[in-house]
Amino acid sequence: MRLPRLLEPRNVLLFSVVAEGATGALAVLAPGLVAQLLFGAEVSGAGVAYGRLLGMTLIALAIACWPGAALPLRPAVRAMLTYNTLAALYLAYLAILQPAGILIWPAAAEHALVTLLLISAREV
């Protein structure tokens, strides 16, 4: 059975890369906003620096996993699968454990969906 073009591994990976790159850029530019939307908390001092560092890490992950034509797809899919699985579990854990920001459940659901799509793509 052939997957619809939209659900092919390269397209799912591209969606995840763009989402993480955009989140990373937002975390670099406005770490307080990201913290407020996801965790319902203010950040200051070292938290701002750490948020920006996280944003840079997400940008680097997005660049490393960009699905180029000549690059093997499998390592990038594994990396994004690992990240999305862990992110979904941790965000859901945080949302259950304590009150959080308005985007924590949508973010957990998006990561869970990407995890399922990457698994179903059978490129792992």
Side-chain angles (χ1 to χ4, degrees):
M1 182 173 132
R2 179 131 166 85
L3 287 173
R5 181 163 162 66
L6 187 62
L7 299 179
E8 288 179 1
R10 186 171 301 282
N11 293 334
V12 175
L13 183 62
L14 183 60
F15 169 78
S16 185
V17 162
V18 169
E20 298 317 321
T23 302
L26 186 59
V28 168
L29 297 173
L33 177 62
V34 173
Q36 185 63 41
L37 291 173
L38 284 176
F39 309 117
E42 300 293 323
V43 294
S44 62
V48 171
Y50 195 72
R52 287 194 170 120
L53 185 60
L54 167 69
M56 292 174 208
T57 303
L58 288 175
I59 292 168
L61 177 66
I63 291 168
C65 292
W66 188 264
L71 297 174
L73 197 57
R74 191 166 284 181
V77 169
R78 282 189 192 140
M80 276 299 183
L81 176 62
T82 302
Y83 169 73
N84 279 286
T85 301
L86 294 173
L89 291 171
Y90 189 59
L91 289 171
Y93 167 78
L94 288 176
I96 291 167
L97 188 66
Q98 62 193 17
I102 61 170
L103 289 185
I104 197 160
W105 279 115
E110 182 270 335
H111 285 288
L113 176 62
V114 171
T115 296
L116 293 174
L117 290 173
L118 288 172
I119 289 170
S120 72
R122 306 214 196 297
E123 281 288 329
V124 182

